[in-house]
Amino acid sequence: MTRPATKIEVAPPPGVKLPIFMDNHSTTPVDPRVVEAMLPYFTQHFGNAASRNHVFGWTAEAAVENARAQVAAVIGGDGKEIVWTSGATEAINLAIKGAASFLKKQGNHIITVETEHKATLDTCKRLQREGYEVTYLSPAKDGLVTPEQVVAAMTDKTTVVSIMAANNEIGVLQPLEEIGKAIKARNPKVIFHSDAVQAFGKVPFDVERAKVDLVSISAHKVYGPKGVGALWVRRKPRVRIDPLIDGGGHERGMRSGTLAVPLIVGFGKAAELAAAEMDGEAVRLRALRDRLYRGITSRLTETYVNGSLEHRLPGNLNISFAFVEGESLLMALKDVAVSSGSACTSASLEPSYVLRALGVGDELAHTSIRFGIGRFNTEAEVDYVIDLVTSSVERLRALSPLWEMHQDGIDLNSIQWTPH
Ligand SMILES: Cc1ncc(COP(=O)(O)O)c(C=O)c1O
């Protein structure tokens, strides 16, 4: 038997520059058109949007109001309903803690889902420590929860339901419109919050259709700058929340602090571009994602897509490769920025809690790779990634005794492993 080579370099074709960024759920590069829109607000129009007495303040305020309208338009809301924050983590904290606190005389029960972002889960955990009760719904194997599940968990004490629109790891899209309808039919007073960070500007999301009261969004996931986000707060009927940050009473008392005008202008421009280009971009990204999926699965067996392929963000592919070691695979893909469900990418030793909630075993969770295809990825990059992933997995499997046994038709579950 010839020993397999220990290292196979797949040379990138002309036009493909390494490293390739294919981790667009973690963040996105700022679109140059966004940077251009922001620049005058650093040195020329640097006024404080709260300064009422001079033109510097008025210019900044006009830019902020324009950005409110640009951001709200993406989700079918009104600019007056936007509360600027430092990002979605803050928006989610404000939404859940603010609504729970405002409604604490009505009840102390919150409903969310096991696969939510940590910003939601850790917020809920803190509220539990303060005496609130939280129900964490388990999604089905495809990552989805049903309206029936949500309504079945509601009690007379329920005040807040928080369900994300699109998952950041597996990209699955929850049936928010059906869920919103069901929640409001059961009890219209319950506040429905959605973390729409990954859905915003990527797939259609409408606040009226989803019957949401609060929506958290972030600029840096849609080719805007880091450090700015927003909470959309319904005005009709008026939704009230307690603030987390007190001060000058900015943002209608819901979030005090001087506004980050250049960042807000950038978020506005990014939202305007997303609204104008979303449909075409979704078609292009879906085609690239499907190309990646077909390229990998036509050449490799024993690969498993995590989460529903049908109800999914256009640019997301999350796939596990059986019979390889997660860390070795990541090393082999070091020229391609992707994320992994493996513990080695996180501070904890547990593999992805999202994949666990779907019932994915630890072995497969460790070898999962999340590809996040975005605005600036090309077909040539996707083709290179297909070549690199398939040759790396083949090489690693060639080194694996378990893969050899599997190839020989041995059922690995039937083996009695004797400890030494
Ligand atoms: C689904 C989801 N929610 C919330 C956040 C937090 O957003 P931010 O980075 O703006 O605080 C992220 C980003 O990691 C996310 O993907």
Side-chain angles (χ1 to χ4, degrees):
M1 193 180 109
T2 50
R3 269 172 70 87
T6 49
K7 196 157 194 283
I8 296 177
E9 297 285 358
V10 180
V16 171
K17 257 182 63 197
L18 300 182
I20 294 169
F21 185 74
M22 214 173 262
D23 196 20
N24 285 276
H25 302 301
S26 68
T27 193
T28 53
V30 182
D31 191 300
R33 295 168 291 180
V34 170
V35 177
E36 200 185 323
M38 290 169 68
L39 284 176
Y41 291 89
F42 286 101
T43 50
Q44 198 182 342
H45 308 307
F46 55 83
N48 184 328
S51 295
R52 290 279 146 80
N53 303 318
H54 51 68
V55 69
F56 293 89
W58 304 330
T59 305
E61 193 197 5
V64 166
E65 294 311 306
N66 184 44
R68 281 190 210 283
Q70 288 170 314
V71 167
V74 176
I75 55 173
D78 188 293
K80 293 194 197 77
E81 298 171 312
I82 294 292
V83 172
W84 301 116
T85 64
S86 62
T89 299
E90 185 191 330
I92 292 166
N93 272 263
L94 174 58
I96 301 176
K97 291 176 183 165
S101 162
F102 190 81
L103 296 171
K104 67 172 172 286
K105 287 208 185 80
Q106 279 176 39
N108 68 340
H109 181 228
I110 298 164
I111 298 171
T112 189
V113 184
E114 286 172 348
T115 47
E116 294 284 314
H117 191 271
K118 286 284 182 187
T120 296
L121 296 178
D122 288 354
T123 295
C124 288
K125 275 192 210 144
R126 181 170 300 279
L127 290 174
Q128 272 179 299
R129 291 196 291 276
E130 291 172 8
Y132 288 87
E133 281 178 23
V134 181
T135 300
Y136 299 90
L137 300 174
S138 297
K141 204 167 168 28
D142 62 4
L144 300 175
V145 291
T146 64
E148 294 76 27
Q149 246 182 307
V150 180
V151 171
M154 286 171 73
T155 71
D156 292 344
K157 293 270 174 245
T158 306
T159 52
V160 182
V161 178
S162 188
I163 299 181
M164 72 198 325
N167 186 273
N168 46 299
E169 284 192 32
I170 51 177
V172 301
L173 306 172
Q174 296 293 353
L176 273 205
E177 293 182 13
E178 289 80 5
I179 291 173
K181 216 170 14 176
I183 292 170
K184 294 294 172 176
R186 166 77 167 75
N187 181 358
K189 284 199 190 133
V190 165
I191 295 297
F192 183 24
H193 166 250
S194 185
D195 166 355
V197 168
Q198 297 289 343
F200 182 84
K202 311 282 172 55
V203 288
F205 179 99
D206 183 87
V207 291
E208 296 311 326
R209 294 177 68 97
K211 299 203 182 315
V212 281
D213 300 296
L214 300 167
V215 179
S216 295
I217 49 182
S218 184
H220 76 101
K221 310 283 185 175
V222 275
Y223 313 97
K226 291 170 187 58
V228 63
L231 181 65
W232 174 86
V233 183
R234 179 178 287 283
R235 272 165 73 98
K236 286 184 191 145
R238 186 165 172 217
V239 168
R240 313 228 357 230
I241 54 174
D242 283 338
L244 299 182
I245 298 175
D246 294 305
H250 307 74
E251 301 301 275
R252 291 172 285 133
M254 283 182 267
R255 203 278 192 176
S256 288
T258 299
L259 294 178
V261 179
L263 301 183
I264 289 169
V265 167
F267 194 2
K269 184 67 186 178
E272 182 193 275
L273 294 172
E277 297 173 7
M278 183 172 78
D279 292 348
E281 194 160 286
V283 171
R284 195 181 77 85
L285 294 189
R286 190 170 291 116
L288 288 180
R289 191 270 314 277
D290 291 346
R291 188 180 181 91
L292 181 64
Y293 168 69
R294 278 195 305 271
I296 291 173
T297 55
S298 66
R299 285 162 63 175
L300 292 174
T301 58
E302 298 293 335
T303 58
Y304 301 91
V305 172
N306 297 307
S308 164
L309 201 49
E310 186 191 348
H311 304 282
R312 201 182 192 94
L313 286 171
N316 176 282
L317 183 65
N318 187 312
I319 192 161
S320 291
F321 300 88
F323 302 102
V324 296
E325 221 213 342
E327 277 87 272
S328 311
L329 182 56
L330 272 185
M331 279 301 291
L333 302 183
K334 66 180 180 352
D335 288 329
V336 182
V338 287
S339 273
S340 161
S342 169
C344 72
T345 62
S346 68
S348 86
L349 291 174
E350 301 286 306
S352 156
Y353 67 89
V354 172
L355 297 185
R356 276 198 157 176
L358 265 53
V360 176
D362 284 2
E363 284 295 319
L364 279 179
H366 272 299
T367 68
S368 71
I369 301 283
R370 175 188 72 179
F371 300 93
I373 303 174
R375 181 174 291 168
F376 300 105
N377 288 122
T378 63
E379 199 172 277
E381 286 179 337
V382 168
D383 288 346
Y384 173 73
V385 170
I386 295 169
D387 282 345
L388 185 67
V389 168
T390 51
S391 61
S392 304
V393 170
E394 279 164 358
R395 172 170 58 84
L396 292 169
R397 283 181 177 170
L399 296 167
S400 158
L402 294 179
W403 175 247
E404 202 176 323
M405 288 159 81
H406 173 74
Q407 294 292 90
D408 291 343
I410 298 168
D411 177 7
L412 296 175
N413 292 321
S414 69
I415 296 175
Q416 300 271 313
W417 303 98
T418 34
H420 290 281

